[in-house]
Amino acid sequence: MKSYSLLLLCRFTYVANAFSSHHGEQRNVVTNRSRIGTSLHVKKRVMPKLAIDTYVDYVTRLWRETNTDARKKVSSARAVAAVKNVEHLLTEGDEYEDSELQIHDIKDPEGIIARDKLLEGCKLMLNYMDKKVNDRNIRHAAAVTGHDAAQIPEEEEIAVENTTVDVIETINESSDDDKKMKPRPKKKKKTRSILFGAAMGGIVACWVYSGNYVFTGLFAAMTVLGQLEYYRMVMNAGIYPARRISVLGSSAMFLAALFIPNLHQICLPIFSLWAMVWFLTMRRKVSTISEIATTLTGMTYLGYIPSFWVRIRLIGGGKEPTKLAPLVKPMLEYFGRTASSLPSFVPKYIHLPITTGANFIFWTWLCIAFSDVGAYFAGVNFGRTKLGKISPAAGATSPNKTVEGVIGGCIVSAFLATLGAWVLNWPYWWATGPIHGLCLALLGLIGDLTASMLKRDAGLKDFGDLLPEHGGIMDRVDSYIFTAPYSWLVLTVVLPWLKYGRKYVFQG
């Protein structure tokens, strides 16, 4: 029995070796394909986790840089900067100072004594502030390392991050209104930057057709990032708004636009009232106009206005077929069969993936995105007239923009909007399309210039560093803010009025 089993084992080994020798190449191909498939499967699992981790890390960093400790550092830095400015006036003077009041060149004995005492006081105050900063850094190092403050080595004290100096330099640079920002050398767009933009476009298209719940949730998540980027910029200028109320209020506006769209507009007054009550009851000092204004601006500019995109997304659950319906029908049927095999809870989150509003958003965002691209290429190749010749303030806000670039962006946007109007069966598409594209390009330009104006006043190049070579969230969505309420008006009032008449719009 043992010998028979041994014989069978030998024959099996022989057959296996023969099969291996004849089909080794095919087996290697299958193995490689299996490895590639496994690698892709791992990447599919890793990519969502990577995106979530990146988002959480960025939100955590922004929240930390806008918390109470960060405000104290900024306040201390501004105090140091103010004392240094006084010291500078006492020792070197200012070129625009009144010639009769040159503090650094006083000849009167009484004035010399007063100047010397004030200069000595500045030096004593700066030494005191430096000592307080060093003590704070030592305590911070002790908290991080777990050692006693007296036992921290000198190397660790030196290695402690001291953001005060950086903030002082930023304040000194941004406080000088007469200094002009030096033009940076133009950099050629890298290939990976262009590919990254194309990939982001594909992701955004999937996002638009991801359903009402997913669309709103991701929009609210982006709003949190944009608000924190905005408030970090504001706080670095020494302005301390009601950050938590503003972030909560902006997120609530998106949720209200999704679940109670008819009461969506009441959110802004409610949270504005809450912010004012907080300023009156929770602050130890009287709040400034800048603090109140930046709080209301954050909720309006980054919450209420862009939340109209959610209201647009809800319009037309029983969508009207477009001219592309026959082309996309096989793809939709395939997705429908695939969705039927998913767990029952998944389709509930993909609520109404295709609506009239979603189609409108897709073509509108396409016009805005390519308007920026068209303006860039037209400005680079044909730009001769600076925008500052027409509008000095706009030219000072963005010196590189040209009139030819604006015209190029309007032409591209009008062309795409006309194509979209024809596809979506708009009334008088040959007229409504170009007008819509022109309005989108101009409103997108206003949004871009508004963000540039904020950054220039704060002395920043970008709002953040989340996206490689593209800045933060605010740097990418500035053109989509003021276009939201206009787009809602077009889809809910203008187009129905042109198609069905005045009675349908105001009574139906």
Side-chain angles (χ1 to χ4, degrees):
M1 187 70 179
K2 290 183 179 179
S3 60
Y4 181 73
S5 300
L6 183 60
L7 179 61
L8 286 178
L9 180 60
C10 292
R11 288 184 176 181
F12 177 79
T13 305
Y14 173 78
V15 173
N17 290 334
F19 180 83
S20 176
S21 61
H22 286 291
H23 302 280
E25 184 176 353
Q26 288 82 348
R27 185 181 59 186
N28 291 334
V29 172
V30 173
T31 303
N32 291 335
R33 289 179 179 175
S34 177
R35 289 176 179 175
I36 293 173
T38 304
S39 176
L40 292 176
H41 181 65
V42 171
K43 288 183 179 180
K44 288 180 180 179
R45 289 188 301 174
V46 170
M47 287 301 293
K49 185 178 184 302
L50 179 62
I52 293 174
D53 291 343
T54 302
Y55 177 85
V56 172
D57 292 342
Y58 193 61
V59 168
T60 303
R61 178 157 62 92
L62 289 173
W63 192 263
R64 185 175 63 249
E65 292 174 357
T66 55
N67 61 12
T68 304
D69 292 335
R71 298 185 186 193
K72 291 178 180 178
K73 290 181 180 180
V74 172
S75 180
S76 300
R78 294 185 66 84
V80 172
V83 176
K84 284 191 173 183
N85 286 334
V86 174
E87 185 183 30
H88 174 76
L89 288 173
L90 294 174
T91 55
E92 300 180 16
D94 189 272
E95 60 177 320
Y96 297 107
E97 190 179 351
D98 191 345
S99 58
E100 297 180 0
L101 296 173
Q102 290 286 344
I103 300 177
H104 71 287
D105 196 23
I106 295 177
K107 305 299 183 182
D108 181 35
E110 184 178 356
I112 293 175
I113 294 174
R115 182 193 63 190
D116 292 342
K117 287 185 177 180
L118 183 57
L119 183 60
E120 183 181 0
C122 288
K123 292 180 178 179
L124 290 174
M125 181 57 67
L126 288 175
N127 291 334
Y128 171 77
M129 289 181 173
D130 289 340
K131 183 177 181 299
K132 297 293 288 185
V133 169
N134 292 333
D135 292 342
R136 183 185 63 195
N137 288 339
I138 292 174
R139 290 195 301 270
H140 175 71
V144 172
T145 59
H147 296 98
D148 185 20
Q151 299 176 352
I152 298 178
E154 184 178 356
E155 292 78 6
E156 291 190 14
E157 293 183 19
I158 297 175
V160 172
E161 180 182 5
N162 185 5
T163 57
T164 306
V165 177
D166 297 333
V167 177
I168 291 173
E169 293 177 355
T170 303
I171 293 172
N172 288 333
E173 291 176 1
S174 60
S175 63
D176 190 357
D177 297 331
D178 299 312
K179 286 185 179 179
K180 294 183 178 180
M181 297 182 69
K182 297 181 179 180
R184 295 180 174 87
K186 293 183 179 180
K187 296 182 179 179
K188 294 183 179 179
K189 280 187 173 291
K190 297 182 179 179
T191 304
R192 70 186 183 96
S193 177
I194 298 174
L195 293 176
F196 178 80
M200 288 298 296
I203 293 174
V204 169
C206 295
W207 171 37
V208 170
Y209 292 106
S210 62
N212 291 336
Y213 298 154
V214 177
F215 180 82
T216 305
L218 292 178
F219 221 137
M222 281 203 315
T223 298
V224 172
L225 291 182
Q227 286 241 314
L228 293 178
E229 288 177 348
Y230 168 75
Y231 284 128
R232 179 178 60 178
M233 176 195 70
V234 167
M235 289 179 185
N236 284 337
I239 303 171
Y240 309 117
R243 175 194 56 161
R244 291 185 178 89
I245 296 176
S246 181
V247 172
L248 181 61
S250 298
S251 302
M253 292 173 196
F254 284 90
L255 296 178
L258 175 64
F259 294 109
I260 46 173
N262 292 331
L263 299 177
H264 160 247
Q265 62 272 14
I266 201 66
C267 288
L268 182 60
I270 289 176
F271 282 93
S272 298
L273 176 63
W274 184 8
M276 292 310 304
V277 171
W278 185 85
F279 278 127
L280 291 171
T281 58
M282 303 302 292
R283 284 286 178 89
R284 297 180 180 179
K285 298 181 180 179
V286 177
S287 298
T288 64
I289 295 176
S290 299
E291 292 171 341
I292 297 172
T294 51
T295 300
L296 299 180
T297 300
M299 283 192 287
T300 305
Y301 180 62
L302 298 171
Y304 180 69
I305 296 178
S307 63
F308 274 91
W309 290 118
V310 176
R311 296 190 65 175
I312 295 173
R313 181 68 177 72
L314 301 177
I315 296 174
K319 60 185 182 304
E320 298 180 3
T322 67
K323 286 185 170 59
L324 295 180
L327 298 178
V328 299
K329 183 178 180 180
M331 181 178 65
L332 296 178
E333 290 178 350
Y334 169 76
F335 284 129
R337 291 192 302 269
T338 304
S340 62
S341 62
L342 295 174
S344 58
F345 66 87
V346 174
K348 295 180 181 179
Y349 295 101
I350 313 298
H351 177 63
L352 293 176
I354 302 178
T355 62
T356 302
N359 293 331
F360 180 90
I361 290 175
F362 174 79
W363 284 100
T364 298
W365 286 6
L366 194 69
C367 293
I368 298 172
F370 277 90
S371 169
D372 190 26
V373 175
Y376 173 78
F377 283 103
V380 169
N381 296 307
F382 307 104
R384 298 292 184 272
T385 308
K386 292 294 184 180
L387 191 59
K389 290 188 176 180
I390 296 179
S391 174
T397 300
S398 185
N400 294 327
K401 280 186 169 51
T402 62
V403 176
E404 292 79 6
V406 174
I407 295 174
C410 291
I411 292 174
V412 173
S413 179
F415 172 77
L416 288 174
T418 304
L419 179 61
W422 175 76
V423 170
L424 298 177
N425 296 316
W426 283 11
Y428 310 105
W429 61 267
W430 42 268
T432 54
I435 295 173
H436 180 59
L438 180 64
C439 293
L440 289 176
L442 294 178
L443 289 174
L445 175 64
I446 293 174
D448 187 5
L449 292 174
T450 301
S452 298
M453 187 164 47
L454 294 174
K455 290 186 288 186
R456 183 165 290 273
D457 183 62
L460 299 176
K461 181 180 181 296
D462 295 315
F463 280 102
D465 56 358
L466 175 65
L467 305 174
E469 301 181 9
H470 291 268
I473 288 294
M474 280 288 294
D475 298 292
R476 293 294 90 200
V477 303
D478 49 15
S479 299
Y480 299 82
I481 294 177
F482 293 121
T483 51
Y486 156 78
S487 298
W488 179 81
L489 185 67
V490 168
L491 190 58
T492 58
V493 177
V494 176
L495 293 179
W497 180 73
L498 291 175
K499 193 170 185 178
Y500 302 108
R502 179 179 177 182
K503 183 178 180 180
Y504 175 85
V505 175
F506 296 100
Q507 297 182 9

